[in-house]
Amino acid sequence: MYFLGIETSCDETAAAVFTDEPRVLSNVVASQTELHSRFSGVVPEIAARAHLRQILPVIDEALNRAGIAIHQVGCIAVHNTPGLVGALLVGVSTAKMLALALDVPLIAVNHVHAHIYACRLAAGRDIFPCVGLVVSGGHTALFDCKDALNYDLLGTTRDDAAGEALDKVASILGLGFPGGPAIDRESAAGNAKAFRFPRSLLEDGTLDFSFSGLKTAVLYTVQGQDRSQPTGSPTGKHRADLAASFQQAVVDVLVLRCQQALEKTGYRRLAVGGGVSANRKLRADLATMCERERVELFIPPLELCTDNAAMAAMAVEKFHRGEFAPPDLDAEPNL
Ligand code: KG4
Ligand code: ZN
């Protein structure tokens, strides 16, 4: 049986074809990075309009690459929450239209949960129960993943998401948009111990995160407490050291919180997803911690870390349990 997955929650228009195993047959992503880069961030209205232009060609391409025709699709899966409402609406409306026209079931998938399910998809075997960490541009959240469909929130960010902090600090350092990959690259040449930035761990007992203080600490280091330093971005070794020291502070907090969540749940498996899990230092430090703690680590390959529609294969689990969406399914911007 063939499923068609659709993703339009932020600035990637994506469609994928997968089977009920689940096995991915095609995974097409049309990025809008170029449209948003001159604004140093995603502009919701531009994103929604670009999704409208791209969604049908992207679906066609996904069907072509999978080698199937539209009438062979037996179920439509769509990420309907969370995200930019105008962007989500394009995917949700397209999915509802296709389900109606093809007379096949419609399944709604939570985009953040799907980032964890990407680990199950890449592993090709059961990974539950596990601790799940989602680190993306919009979310930083830890889950107690009891099985393939039941994820209880253990902790979340009280202010900026990790990806958001990376993007904003990249902008402070004059590294462009999107900032995550730029910080990753710039840090490779820097000394992570050059600056001692704060690791915000809030009060004891919570698994929540906070990254806005760290972002402000970088801003003050670059521009001075009273912003009196000469304007203009840092350069050379100085900039690489700032990037590496900041990146290490983000990574240290994420790794420690994962370790605490593993201790709290007693699970021996950790699944990590979302765009920031593409970060090389985060991947390396998580691997070291998991080896030390004898925990099995699941991080998907890069194309399944960043936004995609293949991870909507979480719908296969819902299909087996008969969890279908109503024909009046709505886009829900908040988690
Ligand atoms: O999951 P995602 O593609 O979209 C959202 O759902 O938000 O995550 C995007 C985030 C952005 O903040 C981007 O800067 C970050 O992932 N990112 C990275 C890397 N690649 C993407 N952050 C750190 N290192 C990377 N290599
Ligand atoms: Zn995402």
Side-chain angles (χ1 to χ4, degrees):
M1 176 174 171
Y2 299 116
F3 287 68
L4 173 68
I6 295 173
E7 146 67 27
T8 62
S9 70
C10 190
D11 61 341
E12 258 93 35
T13 315
V17 175
F18 42 87
T19 68
D20 55 351
E21 259 176 76
R23 189 163 53 89
V24 181
L25 299 182
S26 66
N27 184 18
V28 177
V29 180
S31 172
Q32 304 176 3
T33 304
E34 251 183 72
L35 293 177
H36 302 287
S37 63
R38 69 189 174 102
F39 302 103
S40 297
V42 177
V43 184
E45 184 62 19
I46 291 176
R49 284 165 192 262
H51 285 311
L52 263 181
R53 278 196 306 276
Q54 290 174 328
I55 188 70
L56 295 180
V58 164
I59 289 174
D60 267 342
E61 183 66 20
L63 293 168
N64 281 340
R65 287 193 201 172
I68 67 161
I70 186 84
H71 66 264
Q72 289 177 272
V73 171
C75 183
I76 308 286
V78 63
H79 294 152
N80 75 315
T81 186
L84 304 169
V85 69
L88 285 167
L89 265 175
V90 176
V92 170
S93 308
T94 307
K96 289 199 292 193
M97 175 274 290
L98 282 173
L100 200 65
L102 297 170
D103 193 22
V104 297
L106 175 69
I107 294 181
V109 174
N110 177 309
H111 173 102
V112 171
H113 294 172
H115 270 304
I116 294 171
Y117 193 81
C119 296
R120 155 71 184 86
L121 195 61
R125 64 182 164 94
D126 193 16
I127 63 164
F128 303 100
C130 65
V131 166
L133 171 73
V134 178
V135 267
S136 69
H139 297 91
T140 301
L142 271 167
F143 295 93
D144 171 347
C145 306
K146 297 184 186 304
D147 60 37
L149 286 178
N150 290 299
Y151 302 177
D152 291 347
L153 190 67
L154 291 171
T156 186
T157 182
R158 304 227 181 137
D159 39 61
D160 290 357
E164 194 178 350
L166 284 159
D167 291 337
K168 286 175 179 166
V169 167
S171 163
I172 293 168
L173 299 181
L175 291 170
F177 173 84
I183 295 268
D184 193 336
R185 277 192 305 275
E186 184 74 12
S187 298
N191 172 9
K193 294 199 173 111
F195 297 90
R196 182 73 202 162
F197 290 129
R199 273 74 171 153
S200 308
L201 286 166
L202 308 163
E203 63 274 21
D204 278 352
T206 171
L207 289 173
D208 282 348
F209 301 88
S210 167
F211 292 106
S212 75
L214 170 60
K215 176 192 64 189
T216 308
V218 178
L219 181 72
Y220 285 168
T221 304
V222 173
Q223 300 184 356
Q225 284 271 1
D226 51 1
R227 316 274 294 264
S228 61
Q229 302 290 327
T231 45
S233 301
T235 51
K237 179 86 172 81
H238 179 54
R239 180 162 80 175
D241 286 349
L242 284 164
S245 302
F246 159 72
Q247 175 181 265
Q248 192 62 56
V250 174
V251 168
D252 284 352
V253 171
L254 293 173
V255 173
L256 182 69
R257 281 292 190 243
C258 286
Q259 193 181 332
Q260 291 170 333
L262 286 159
E263 281 161 15
K264 188 168 178 172
T265 57
Y267 296 155
R268 316 297 306 164
R269 291 168 174 160
L270 175 65
V272 185
V276 180
S277 62
N279 183 268
R280 288 173 291 173
K281 188 71 176 120
L282 178 63
R283 290 169 95 97
D285 286 10
L286 281 172
T288 305
M289 182 273 285
C290 286
E291 202 171 320
R292 191 182 65 233
E293 303 295 322
R294 297 183 191 287
V295 166
E296 203 177 353
L297 176 63
F298 298 92
I299 308 185
L302 296 191
E303 69 273 16
L304 291 179
C305 284
T306 46
D307 284 348
N308 67 86
M311 64 191 190
M314 194 174 185
V316 170
E317 310 283 345
K318 292 193 166 191
F319 184 85
H320 291 315
R321 294 192 207 179
E323 289 182 25
F324 301 112
D328 63 346
L329 176 72
D330 215 346
E332 179 51 66
N334 299 317
L335 191 56

